[in-house]
Amino acid sequence: MKLFKKAVIIALALALALTTLAGCGEEVISIDGSGGKLTYWALPSGTTWCSSYNDLKSLQVISEKTGIEVEFIHPSSSRWEEQFNIMIASGEYPDIIFQNNWNNAYNGGLPGIYNDGIIIDLTEYVDGGKMPNFKKLLDENPLSNLNIRTDDGKIFQIGTIRDSAAMNASTGHQIRKDWLEKLNIDVPKTMTDWYNMLTAFKTKDPNGNGEADEIPYGDFTSQNFTNFAAAYRTSTSYYKKDGKLVYGPVTPEYKAFITEMNKWYKEGLIDPEFAAISRANLSAKVTTDKVGSYTYYIGSAMGSYLTAMADSNPEFDLVGAPWPVCDADGVQYNPIDVSTLDSGNSGAVVTTKCKDPNLAVKYLDYLFSEEATIIQNWGVEGETYEVVDGQYKYLDSIMNNPEGKQPTELLGKTIFPSLGAPVKYWLYDAYSQVQFAWPQQKEATQVWAQGENDLTTIGLKMTAEETDRRSQILTDMDTYRAEMYTKFIIGKEPLSKWDEYVRKMNEMGLPELMQIYETAHERYTKMAKDLGVEVK
């Protein structure tokens, strides 16, 4: 029987960012080294340098320090669902299981797998003082404490926690900085700035070839520039406005955003092929000096393009632009959820077959200690990192390897600084040193982490029934919304049909959908109140 199914988990709020390593504070628990054995099921890392966590030196060092021997069990990456289901059906489970998304892994998600008697409730372990390292981080981040709990307040999994919102800011507006400098234009901050910049890109030949072939704003999916909607204080989903939940795509603010995009399209400021262009085509246009701006990822776009153009066009440069506002006095809203520092629906559970749950809990908690945080993020002092003037940094032999090897390859058998697995307290400083080959990338993530989170941090605690009904409504509604979005922008449907569009959205079940959101949000705010957490 197929036990997994697709579902949607709503990312919940997290407003107070953790500090860097100092934020772990003093060690609040020690492992006595008395020993023990655990089995730990997890998907393989996906790297070519260390295919099994059993071979990862950082975890070997942790086992030596704790005296706990851990055997990692890895399914085949391509057949993990089948192998997971066989394992569950057999009734023989390891002590710990890690999944990237429990809603995808098991019917009913974490509540479902708990109700079926496969995992134990970790609430008393966390709240009862048996996981002081992990609990300390939750106490410092109340919204994360709220986020990891089910709708009835229980904790079933332990997941990675990040120390910086910038680690989540992996996508945003990117602009040809060399074009800006050539035309003496500042990085845009308002929508007017953006319009003026795009117009200049179209009319002033910034690529210098004497032809009007520039594409001011290019993208390979129309959904990427929905991020401009945040300037109008709206989004493609729901958010809270004046104390009530609203659905962005039917608001006057969303119409204003669509109207501006229609204007840009009519004036040739947007790639006319945006609705059908592939990612490869976008990349080709960027690297052949055609595209002046776009919205995409920090690595596969900004990092890749800077590297690809370094030799052929040394002047080629990119800058991450801040989320724009409507006018100079406007509030900056962030369209991406950078505040959710916990790993959401990804984490480790302890199974009912674990003979010593206390040992499993002690091991998982130790992974969030200051000592383990250093080991999992930096590795081994003298081998992978050094401390200079109180600052942690990877060795120069790793960052500037004389043989030309990449840092990820050299670190890959010791630590996974660019992966938050299996679970850990994940440090942005370590992550960014390895993940970003260019300083422009780190600067961009810090820029994209700015702005109010009012459009993204509404918490929901939905039941299985509510989740299913929500999915049923959105199946057709999202398709219709996306179709009309494109048609309004390119003028295939006139904006005079806006009211007709809103009416049809209501007929497709929008009032019922919003009632589901309201009910789930009420449950969320009640739990927050019970935990003493202030939420919107």
Side-chain angles (χ1 to χ4, degrees):
M1 179 181 295
K2 191 174 184 180
L3 298 173
F4 64 95
K5 75 172 187 176
K6 297 287 183 182
V8 178
I9 209 75
I10 302 297
L12 305 177
L14 184 56
L16 178 61
L18 296 170
T19 60
T20 54
L21 183 60
C24 294
E26 297 179 357
E27 195 75 20
V28 291
I29 191 172
S30 62
I31 298 290
D32 56 20
S34 58
K37 294 184 178 182
L38 294 169
T39 52
Y40 193 138
W41 191 96
L43 294 176
S45 69
T47 72
T48 58
W49 309 288
C50 183
S51 59
S52 171
Y53 291 134
N54 292 307
D55 301 328
L56 198 64
K57 187 169 183 179
S58 58
L59 294 177
Q60 293 173 353
V61 171
I62 286 173
S63 286
E64 292 171 2
K65 289 183 175 293
T66 61
I68 300 174
E69 180 183 341
V70 180
E71 177 190 357
F72 286 93
I73 303 166
H74 299 300
S76 166
S77 295
S78 61
R79 299 178 57 200
W80 75 264
E81 294 168 324
E82 175 187 346
Q83 293 174 35
F84 176 77
N85 291 334
I86 291 173
M87 175 183 69
I88 297 299
S90 73
E92 297 299 324
Y93 327 128
D95 299 308
I96 300 170
I97 299 175
F98 177 89
Q99 280 285 6
N100 291 326
N101 189 320
W102 279 103
N103 276 353
N104 283 354
Y106 197 86
N107 187 25
L110 287 167
I113 199 170
Y114 171 75
N115 292 333
D116 289 343
I118 298 169
I119 64 172
I120 67 173
D121 184 353
L122 297 175
T123 312
E124 288 303 315
Y125 289 95
V126 177
D127 293 341
K130 292 187 177 181
M131 299 194 74
N133 288 298
F134 186 66
K135 184 62 162 60
K136 184 174 187 292
L137 292 176
L138 297 185
D139 288 344
E140 292 172 353
N141 299 271
L143 291 176
S144 187
N145 185 21
L146 183 62
N147 188 31
I148 68 169
R149 298 175 188 266
T150 60
D151 65 318
D152 56 357
K154 292 181 178 178
I155 299 173
F156 292 135
Q157 70 166 349
I158 305 301
T160 287
I161 295 179
R162 303 166 181 83
D163 79 327
S164 171
M167 197 177 294
N168 292 337
S170 60
T171 186
H173 300 312
Q174 300 173 35
I175 302 173
R176 285 288 298 270
K177 185 179 180 182
D178 51 320
W179 286 16
L180 293 175
E181 292 174 347
K182 182 176 182 179
L183 301 180
N184 196 28
I185 299 173
D186 293 331
V187 175
K189 296 180 180 179
T190 69
M191 290 300 288
T192 299
D193 292 341
W194 266 89
Y195 175 76
N196 292 336
M197 178 196 74
L198 296 178
T199 301
F201 283 176
K202 179 176 175 60
T203 60
K204 296 185 178 181
D205 191 29
N207 66 13
N209 67 357
E211 300 178 19
D213 58 351
E214 289 87 353
I215 300 170
Y217 183 87
D219 235 321
F220 74 94
T221 166
S222 62
Q223 299 306 305
N224 272 354
F225 60 82
T226 55
N227 288 316
F228 284 109
Y232 298 85
R233 208 243 186 260
T234 189
S235 76
T236 59
S237 188
Y238 63 92
Y239 52 93
K240 208 162 191 178
K241 178 183 177 183
D242 300 329
K244 293 183 61 178
L245 287 185
V246 298
Y247 185 65
V250 297
T251 60
E253 292 86 357
Y254 196 82
K255 182 181 180 183
F257 153 66
I258 291 288
T259 300
E260 184 68 13
M261 294 300 102
N262 173 257
K263 174 185 175 182
W264 287 10
Y265 182 83
K266 286 180 178 178
E267 296 185 16
L269 306 183
I270 297 174
D271 189 341
E273 299 179 331
F274 78 84
I277 190 174
S278 68
R279 172 182 165 183
N281 285 339
L282 171 66
S283 296
K285 292 179 180 182
V286 172
T287 54
T288 54
D289 224 22
K290 296 294 192 297
V291 172
S293 61
Y294 58 88
T295 305
Y296 203 46
Y297 289 120
I298 192 69
S300 54
M302 179 178 276
S304 296
Y305 299 154
L306 287 168
T307 300
M309 301 299 289
D311 294 329
S312 61
N313 185 0
E315 293 183 357
F316 181 97
D317 200 2
L318 294 168
V319 62
W323 304 113
V325 297
C326 271
D327 54 64
D329 297 325
V331 176
Q332 183 189 41
Y333 293 101
N334 196 321
I336 58 177
D337 191 2
V338 298
S339 63
T340 305
L341 299 185
D342 54 271
S343 59
N345 203 37
S346 169
V349 299
V350 179
T351 75
T352 52
K353 296 296 183 179
C354 181
K355 293 184 176 60
D356 190 350
N358 285 309
L359 183 69
V361 164
K362 180 181 281 190
Y363 175 78
L364 290 172
D365 183 63
Y366 176 77
L367 297 180
F368 294 90
S369 67
E370 182 173 345
E371 183 174 60
T373 294
I374 294 172
I375 296 169
Q376 290 209 91
N377 285 274
W378 297 104
V380 179
E381 188 169 11
E383 293 185 22
T384 57
Y385 79 92
E386 60 183 345
V387 182
V388 180
D389 297 328
Q391 300 296 313
Y392 288 77
K393 59 182 294 186
Y394 295 115
L395 297 177
D396 188 63
S397 59
I398 289 175
M399 300 306 296
N400 300 288
N401 183 258
E403 298 178 8
K405 293 182 178 181
Q406 295 300 309
T408 49
E409 177 183 356
L410 295 167
L411 293 169
K413 293 183 179 180
T414 302
I415 53 175
F416 294 144
S418 59
L419 295 176
V423 291
K424 67 182 179 185
Y425 182 46
W426 199 2
L427 304 180
Y428 176 75
D429 193 23
Y431 165 84
S432 61
Q433 284 188 33
V434 172
Q435 192 72 5
F436 305 144
W438 298 86
Q440 295 94 317
Q441 293 175 281
K442 186 172 183 178
E443 292 167 4
T445 60
Q446 294 168 334
V447 168
W448 297 338
Q450 303 304 310
E452 298 295 325
N453 290 301
D454 296 50
L455 302 176
T456 60
T457 56
I458 298 299
L460 296 180
K461 292 293 182 181
M462 299 178 71
T463 65
E465 293 78 12
E466 288 169 341
T467 299
D468 287 343
R469 182 56 185 151
R470 172 187 177 275
S471 298
Q472 291 170 10
I473 296 172
L474 283 177
T475 297
D476 294 331
M477 184 183 292
D478 268 349
T479 300
Y480 176 67
R481 176 196 59 77
E483 289 175 354
M484 293 301 293
Y485 169 85
T486 301
K487 289 179 179 179
F488 280 140
I489 290 176
I490 67 176
K492 190 173 181 179
E493 291 285 356
L495 284 164
S496 60
K497 289 191 175 182
W498 178 262
D499 291 343
E500 180 182 326
Y501 153 77
V502 173
R503 183 167 58 253
K504 187 167 182 179
M505 291 285 280
N506 283 313
E507 292 172 354
M508 296 177 79
L510 180 57
E512 182 183 357
L513 178 68
M514 295 311 297
Q515 184 57 57
I516 291 173
Y517 286 151
E518 287 282 4
T519 302
H521 185 57
E522 287 174 6
R523 196 158 47 239
Y524 169 83
T525 53
K526 181 182 183 302
M527 185 191 302
K529 184 177 180 180
D530 292 342
L531 292 171
V533 180
E534 183 178 351
V535 297
K536 297 173 185 176

